[in-house]
Amino acid sequence: MPAPYDAPLETLFLPFSASNLRWPQGPVLFLRARDGWPLGEHATASQLVCAQSFRPFAEALERSGWEVRSEQVLEESSERYPLVLVLPPRQRDEARALFARALDLVAPGGQIVACQSNNEGARSGESDLQQLAGLGGKLTKNHCRTYWTAPQDGSHDEALRKRWAALDAERPILDGRFHSRPGVFAWDRIDPASALLVEQLPATLAGRGADLGAGWGYLSAEILARCPQVTALDLYEAEARALALARRNLAGSTAQLGFRWQDVTAGIDGRYDFIVSNPPFHTPAREDRPDIGRRFIAVAAEALRPGGQLFMVANRHLPYEQILNESFGKVHVAAERDGFKVIVGTRGGRA
């Protein structure tokens, strides 16, 4: 199956294919990397180092033979790169922190090249990079904007770099009950869908459970606080930055906890007495993907013991009824509010 068209990834390499910039001989770092044919057009497997915290993207890169390193490994390394490629996220504080990180990792005389689609903050990103490190040039194509710095000589705004580097740092939220950081889903609040789901969770939940798409851990924290008979809980989350927050937010629990950096759509291991989920319905690039939620439902049904229950919340309009009825012996809508619905599915005697 061919990979979906990735306009920002293709346009990121436009300055090199158009001869505005020369591809370096030394190592290249790619922050928030995604796999695609443009990588092989320019880089070799021994040259390119990728950083990607979203598990499906990281796995795609690894399958194609590219090296993927974690943020922590990059921070602990003294290696600097003559070229740093960046696909900035939409959230501006997170993007600014990523630019600061790129500036910290670029070698003297090296350059930073970034690309965003026009509807994902391209103009703001260009302005931010110019403010931080100066602008060497820009190109537009495919409804995207690619922009880059002049060769770095240490004359950037160091005070600004330090301020921006802290913009996506972990911090207390909700009166200090939790810690979060910009860029993860609903990073500074309890989203209304999750709040509605929590209201419908019975205090009698017991045994071993799982939270699919756990984010920074709100649903799991509420289960552990409200349901004393829960003995074990596995948190599945594709975004490593969010999973690290969940680990911190649940650190005081006495239940047996598992933290799985995993793409739920690839399937999960284990047999569970209950599963909760507020499944995503779009990709990090904000592309609508209701098939992700449908796959979460199918995976949950496979992972539940007979009689086990799925408690999930979704936007009211999403077409989940068919897969729910195919996967569970009994299905009912427990609550509806503010455009969301809470659905409970009970697994029958057979999968």
Side-chain angles (χ1 to χ4, degrees):
M1 180 178 178
Y5 177 59
D6 191 331
L9 176 65
E10 179 177 327
T11 312
L12 177 68
F13 290 86
L14 182 60
F16 305 101
S17 59
S19 300
N20 295 81
L21 296 175
R22 178 175 297 178
W23 189 262
Q25 296 296 315
V28 174
L29 176 63
F30 191 177
L31 299 177
R32 302 296 167 88
R34 298 198 291 265
D35 187 38
W37 64 265
L39 276 67
E41 291 285 310
H42 298 276
T44 63
S46 61
Q47 180 187 40
L48 186 65
V49 174
C50 299
Q52 177 53 257
S53 58
F54 185 60
R55 186 65 174 171
F57 291 167
E59 289 179 333
L61 289 161
E62 291 171 340
R63 285 194 298 269
S64 294
W66 305 110
E67 179 185 359
V68 180
R69 295 183 188 174
S70 67
E71 287 185 1
Q72 181 177 352
V73 169
L74 289 176
E75 290 172 1
E76 294 173 352
S77 173
S78 60
E79 187 171 7
R80 298 296 177 264
Y81 301 84
L83 175 62
V84 179
L85 304 171
V86 187
L87 290 175
R90 183 186 184 94
Q91 211 283 337
R92 196 168 188 181
D93 282 350
E94 184 189 7
R96 283 177 163 176
L98 194 63
F99 284 143
R101 196 166 301 124
L103 189 57
D104 191 44
L105 292 167
V106 72
Q111 292 181 281
I112 300 167
V113 181
C115 184
Q116 293 167 279
S117 64
N118 293 337
N119 61 0
E120 293 287 327
R123 286 188 180 275
S124 297
E126 178 191 322
S127 175
D128 285 344
L129 186 61
Q130 182 173 17
Q131 183 182 357
L132 179 65
L135 205 64
K138 61 184 177 182
L139 293 170
T140 59
K141 190 178 181 180
N142 304 320
H143 304 288
C144 297
R145 181 179 299 257
T146 299
Y147 46 94
W148 60 91
T149 64
Q152 294 300 294
D153 58 4
S155 62
H156 62 270
D157 189 334
E158 178 61 13
L160 186 63
R161 186 199 67 79
K162 289 180 178 179
R163 290 200 302 272
W164 283 8
L167 286 177
D168 74 339
E170 295 183 12
R171 67 200 68 181
I173 61 169
L174 303 175
D175 298 323
R177 183 184 175 195
F178 300 104
H179 279 75
S180 189
R181 65 191 299 190
V184 302
F185 173 70
W187 79 270
D188 59 350
R189 67 191 188 280
I190 298 169
D191 76 281
S194 293
L196 179 62
L197 177 55
V198 164
E199 292 175 12
Q200 302 303 316
L201 295 178
T204 53
L205 287 179
R208 185 183 181 200
D211 183 351
L212 308 188
W216 49 261
Y218 169 69
L219 286 177
S220 291
E222 290 291 341
I223 289 169
L224 296 171
R226 295 164 179 252
C227 308
Q229 297 180 75
V230 171
T231 57
L233 191 61
D234 289 336
L235 286 77
Y236 292 85
E237 172 55 48
E239 176 51 61
R241 300 167 76 249
L243 192 63
L245 292 164
R247 186 184 295 273
R248 178 172 183 173
N249 289 328
L250 274 63
S253 174
T254 58
Q256 179 183 346
L257 301 179
F259 297 91
R260 322 282 189 187
W261 184 43
Q262 192 167 327
D263 177 8
V264 169
T265 65
I268 64 175
D269 297 324
R271 280 288 178 264
Y272 296 101
D273 299 299
F274 67 91
I275 290 174
V276 301
S277 185
N278 180 1
F281 56 91
H282 55 72
T283 67
R286 305 185 72 83
E287 174 193 6
D288 285 343
R289 290 284 304 278
D291 59 300
I292 297 176
R294 287 194 290 266
R295 180 60 183 155
F296 267 56
I297 293 166
V299 167
E302 294 168 0
L304 283 166
R305 294 188 174 100
Q309 290 185 302
L310 167 67
F311 299 83
M312 68 168 288
V313 65
N315 286 48
R316 186 180 294 161
H317 71 276
L318 289 174
Y320 292 156
E321 281 72 18
Q322 181 176 348
I323 185 65
L324 283 162
N325 290 325
E326 290 173 353
S327 302
F328 291 91
K330 181 180 179 182
V331 177
H332 73 277
V333 176
E336 293 188 71
R337 189 175 71 214
D338 300 330
F340 301 106
K341 56 187 175 185
V342 173
I343 303 166
V344 181
T346 302
R347 183 174 181 255
R350 295 184 298 169

